[in-house]
Amino acid sequence: MMMETMNRPVVIGTVGAGYAAHLHGNGYRRVSGVPFRLKTVCDVKTDLAEQIKEAYGYEKVTDDFEEMLADPEIDVIDIVTPPFLHIPMAIRAIQAGKHVICEKPLTGYFGRPGEENVGRTTKKSVMYAECVKQMDELREALTHSGRKFLYAENFVYATPVRKAAEIIRAKKSKILFMKGEESLKGSSSPVAGKWNKTGGGILVRTGTHPLSGMLWLKQQEAVARGEEISVRSVTADVGVTTACLNAYEHRHIAARPEDVEDYAAVTVTFSDGTKCLTIASDTVLGGSKNYIEVYANDNALICNITPNDLLNTYFLDEDGLDDVYISEMLPRKLGWNKAFVNDEIIRGYMGEMQDFLETIAFDRTPSSGFDIAYQTTKIMYAAYVSAEEGRRVNFTG
Ligand SMILES: NC(=O)c1ccc[n+]([C@@H]2O[C@H](COP(=O)([O-])OP(=O)(O)OC[C@H]3O[C@@H](n4cnc5c(N)ncnc54)[C@H](O)[C@@H]3O)[C@@H](O)[C@H]2O)c1
């Protein structure tokens, strides 16, 4: 089904009013050239929904997802709920005739409701098969629906990654090896250590970002060179590195893994024999570390997302700085720091919303859509199989 270019504002309904709803709100705030309305924000906790409404200018709140879906004015449902709700909510939204924006990860394995320690008790091959089944169900719902699936992977829109893609396309370079990392000093979320809440550990929480960014860059290369490039195989190592720490030694690291990993390294081999390495660790002090390095036949591109060198700060005291955001995951602002400047732009939160609203308004294809979401989750769960079974996992399709 073809859509006409819209001659009215794109109307948005957001479900989930937690941390990531602020990232999306800050992104929407900076979109230009596409008329849109932030209509409804839905959360089972209506106090949180009220806060998002006030902060970003939504028109109303609800605690009833079905009520929001029944609103004929709403064009797109922006899903920022916990990962176990992504696929059921996306399928319901598509059935209701809405486009979908969906946070990462697309999905995961979460066990039966209330089941604990699924990370220890369930074989990773079972998890992998279940994730692929869920994603195939979503693909089925999307097929012939005429609706768009917009995967909110900010690394695809991070400004250094966009520039790297422009260079790769212009030079028609062959990327031989990429290395991408998102690491931090652990999460403050009490559920980050539980597989049944997050669908995995640091790999699905943060490793998913550079992995998607690198898959997108490889596809940019493929299109520029007129090649078909797919994923051939996945190998991985994961572990719990903090298990050796006593309580005092653990004091600066927030990671409290119960049945998840706090370290992951995943190698993807592409069908042309080239590679990318994803690193994710919950044990990295010094501020959250986000980068992709690209090593091609005729260039090297180091995408420093955070930290970067736009503004270096030096403080002997923190007087007056209470409300000044300097950087993420740095508990102190003293001494030298690399401040995060225009973080929502550099890290891609504005770019993703700009692309998604243009995609809907002008009936285009998004940079980050269903295929990247699908491949990323499939690779992450293949990585868990590889690490558990000590073998390379081959992809056939
Ligand atoms: N791209 C990024 O950098 C980034 C950063 C953080 C989180 N995320 C992703 O965003 C998503 C949300 O994470 P978060 O940190 O905002 O979590 P959060 O717990 O802060 O917020 C989730 C919200 O969803 C609400 N919710 C749960 N079930 C609901 C239901 N049935 N109906 C309506 N509301 C419901 C909760 O009440 C909560 O307010 C996750 O998928 C996470 O992976 C992405």
Side-chain angles (χ1 to χ4, degrees):
M1 189 197 311
M2 284 295 290
M3 263 185 67
E4 300 287 307
T5 296
M6 289 173 71
N7 55 8
R8 58 173 179 77
V10 178
V11 182
I12 299 157
T14 296
V15 60
Y19 176 76
H22 289 278
L23 298 176
H24 287 209
N26 276 319
Y28 287 128
R29 210 176 239 169
R30 288 164 178 80
V31 168
S32 62
V34 191
F36 67 96
R37 277 170 60 201
L38 295 172
K39 184 165 184 192
T40 308
V41 53
C42 169
D43 198 297
V44 286
K45 297 176 186 159
T46 45
D47 55 326
L48 291 182
E50 284 290 350
Q51 285 172 23
I52 295 291
K53 171 178 173 271
E54 291 310 311
Y56 303 101
Y58 285 80
E59 295 166 22
K60 58 182 278 202
V61 306
T62 179
D63 61 359
D64 184 347
F65 183 55
E66 289 295 326
E67 178 195 304
M68 187 164 76
L69 291 184
D71 182 339
E73 273 201 327
I74 291 179
D75 299 298
V76 55
I77 300 294
D78 182 7
I79 301 174
V80 273
T81 48
F84 74 94
L85 289 168
H86 291 177
I87 285 197
M89 284 183 158
I91 290 177
R92 278 296 302 127
I94 292 159
Q95 288 168 343
K98 313 297 186 192
H99 303 292
V100 168
I101 296 171
C102 182
E103 252 305 331
K104 64 82 194 171
L106 175 53
T107 190
Y109 180 87
F110 307 98
R112 291 181 297 280
E115 189 184 358
E116 294 292 325
N117 293 322
V118 291
R120 282 199 212 100
T121 57
T122 308
K123 279 200 170 104
K124 303 301 187 297
S125 55
V126 171
M127 298 187 180
Y128 174 80
E130 170 61 23
C131 286
V132 169
K133 181 168 156 280
Q134 287 176 33
M135 294 193 294
D136 285 342
E137 284 166 13
L138 176 56
R139 193 204 297 275
E140 180 67 26
L142 275 168
T143 307
H144 309 304
S145 70
R147 301 300 88 184
K148 296 187 188 294
F149 185 88
L150 309 148
Y151 183 51
E153 176 43 70
N154 54 288
F155 256 60
V156 170
Y157 299 92
T159 52
V161 175
R162 301 305 282 195
K163 192 69 190 175
E166 180 193 334
I167 294 165
I168 295 296
R169 288 191 299 262
K171 290 178 74 66
K172 298 189 173 21
S173 305
K174 173 55 70 177
I175 302 173
L176 300 170
F177 163 61
M178 285 179 281
K179 184 172 72 163
E181 177 169 2
E182 178 162 337
S183 292
L184 30 71
K185 67 170 189 67
S187 169
S188 50
S189 164
V191 299
K194 293 171 175 288
W195 196 295
N196 62 354
K197 302 288 189 214
T198 58
I202 193 68
L203 178 57
V204 296
R205 277 187 24 248
T206 66
T208 184
H209 291 297
L211 174 56
S212 290
M214 292 188 287
L215 293 177
W216 181 71
L217 283 169
K218 199 66 190 167
Q219 285 311 311
Q220 298 305 294
E221 171 203 317
V223 171
R225 292 169 63 94
E227 295 175 11
E228 290 273 324
I229 303 176
S230 57
V231 172
R232 183 194 290 167
S233 66
V234 176
T235 57
D237 182 30
V238 302
V240 184
T241 61
T242 48
C244 62
L245 299 176
N246 65 34
Y248 179 73
E249 290 168 336
H250 209 142
R251 68 195 182 283
H252 297 305
I253 294 172
R256 294 289 181 274
E258 291 182 22
D259 59 344
V260 300
E261 80 285 354
D262 63 20
Y263 167 86
V266 178
T267 297
V268 170
T269 302
F270 294 102
S271 53
D272 61 358
T274 66
K275 309 261 182 185
C276 77
L277 171 66
T278 301
I279 302 168
S281 166
D282 241 341
T283 60
V284 169
L285 297 174
S288 58
K289 195 174 177 70
N290 295 270
Y291 66 84
I292 290 178
E293 297 177 2
V294 180
Y295 299 99
N297 67 307
D298 57 1
N299 63 73
L301 306 165
I302 311 296
C303 307
N304 290 321
I305 301 172
T306 74
N308 59 51
D309 271 318
L310 279 175
L311 174 64
N312 293 329
T313 60
Y314 179 77
F315 299 115
L316 288 166
D317 63 54
E318 299 184 357
D319 293 356
L321 293 178
D322 287 355
D323 297 327
V324 181
Y325 175 63
I326 297 292
S327 67
E328 190 182 68
M329 295 284 171
L330 267 188
R332 301 268 190 282
K333 296 167 185 169
L334 296 179
W336 280 107
N337 275 306
K338 293 177 189 295
F340 288 17
V341 178
N342 288 341
D343 197 32
E344 59 288 328
I345 298 174
I346 288 171
R347 272 213 258 186
Y349 296 112
M350 180 195 78
E352 64 184 12
M353 292 313 167
Q354 182 76 42
D355 186 36
F356 297 161
L357 296 188
E358 287 180 10
T359 294
I360 294 167
F362 310 131
D363 192 15
R364 295 196 328 212
T365 303
S367 288
S368 179
F370 184 71
D371 285 345
I372 286 180
Y374 188 105
Q375 284 296 324
T376 301
T377 297
K378 188 172 168 188
I379 290 167
M380 290 190 298
Y381 274 77
Y384 286 133
V385 173
S386 169
E388 184 171 85
E389 299 182 9
R391 68 176 177 92
R392 180 181 296 272
V393 176
N394 292 308
F395 278 26
T396 47

